[in-house]
Amino acid sequence: MKAFAYAVLLAMAVGGAVAPASACTRVVYLGENQDVITARSMDWQSDIATNLWVLPRGIARTGQAGRDSIHWKARYGSVVASGFDISTTDGLNEAGLSANLLWLVESEYPAQRGRKPGLAISLWAQYMLDNFATVAEAVAALEREPYALVTDDLPGESRQATLHLALSDASGDSAIVEYIGGKQVIHHDRAYQVMTNSPVFNQQLALNTYWQQIGGTVMLPGTNRSADRFARASFYINAIPKSEDPVVALASVFSVIRNVSVPYGITTPDQPNISSTRWRTVADHKRRLYFFESALTPNTFWVDLNKVDFAVGAQVFKLDLGRDQRNVFAGDALGQFQPSAPFAFLGTGD
């Protein structure tokens, strides 16, 4: 009864949130023959002007956080999904590391930078993809806190970005990085296969413990709220068959991320933090395939990273997905990418 009461109180707290926000879900499938597949949904109240980008090694970057920004050169090439073409929201690098940014309204970033160089939140995911091959490597670096994360206003809005970060790699390792009360909190374990939005991750785990006691074949929460999506995703990602056939495995993972998606065009006046799913990505770490699925197009397509030229000095390429990601592609879409200058990350520069 105590577990039930605690779960109910947490669920009420989540359901009572009324600040406008986005709602997304990220899951990691751990299958046979070292198959690892990461999927995420992007839920947002309006078009975030997403396009896909091929970014080679060697690109020099600044943290775009004003004076004393962090600087680096990309060690790894990556394929990423942009937000407004000013930030990386999602992506897979050539070493098999995946990074996913999701909304977390409880996020509070450091008020004072101290002597740490700054990193704009628009570059947070890209910093991971550029610099690390594995989750363990990334966590070891993050524990030293090499930068101070600096948030910014969302394009066209008067609110600041409040995000948390999920990392997964080809070994199946996972980490969740949050900023709570101005302090970095890292949850690092292969068992952390699911991330949604509010509440903070340790409370999500507590809620999920309650649903695990009930059992997913008996009852699962069915709403679009973050905590309910967490419970459903946690059950289904481990209930689907661990197929040795990669086609079946990918289909199973797609079915899970679709199950926790929010119907397109839905409006919930009493829950403005719930938004329609606009697109989904699925990253096959073993085969180095990055899939994209728009809610408004009939086809799923992919990029085969094995065919990409990520060499230092190679061309940057862009796949224009169109307004609301309406442009239609099918199969391996690498040949449809066009040469482009890299997009400029949001920030204040040096």
Side-chain angles (χ1 to χ4, degrees), residues 26 28-30 34-38 91-93 95-100 129 132-139 166-175 188-190 192 283-286:
R26 168 268 199 185
V28 180
Y29 166 85
L30 305 175
Q34 298 180 319
D35 272 0
V36 179
I37 302 172
T38 298
L92 177 69
N93 75 11
L97 181 73
S98 173
N100 320 102
L129 296 171
F132 307 113
T134 67
V135 170
E137 183 183 350
V139 168
L167 299 172
S168 51
D169 65 24
S171 76
D173 198 8
S174 282
H188 179 203
D189 197 291
R190 182 181 174 88
Y192 298 148
D284 185 327
H285 297 260
K286 182 177 179 180

Side-chain angles (χ1 to χ4, degrees), residues 261-272:
S261 295
V262 180
Y264 196 85
I266 193 171
T267 57
T268 51
D270 61 330
Q271 292 288 318

Side-chain angles (χ1 to χ4, degrees), residues 25 27 194 208 211 219-239 256 258-262:
T25 305
V27 296
V194 178
N208 195 52
W211 288 108
M219 179 174 64
L220 281 171
T223 79
N224 292 323
R225 293 185 308 175
S226 174
D228 289 2
R229 287 183 282 108
F230 190 103
R232 291 204 307 281
S234 296
F235 171 73
Y236 284 125
I237 201 63
N238 289 300
V256 173
R258 288 166 181 154
N259 179 279
V260 293
S261 295
V262 180

Side-chain angles (χ1 to χ4, degrees), residues 56 90 151 173 270 312 346:
D90 191 87
T151 190
D173 198 8
D270 61 330
V312 175
L346 179 67

Side-chain angles (χ1 to χ4, degrees), residues 293-309:
E293 179 180 67
S294 169
L296 293 182
T297 60
N299 295 329
T300 298
F301 63 92
W302 65 86
V303 179
D304 185 343
L305 274 69
N306 299 289
K307 299 178 181 178
V308 177
D309 181 6

Side-chain angles (χ1 to χ4, degrees), residues 151-162:
T151 190
D152 207 336
D153 287 343
L154 294 167
E157 300 190 38
S158 59
R159 57 177 175 143
Q160 292 192 322
T162 53

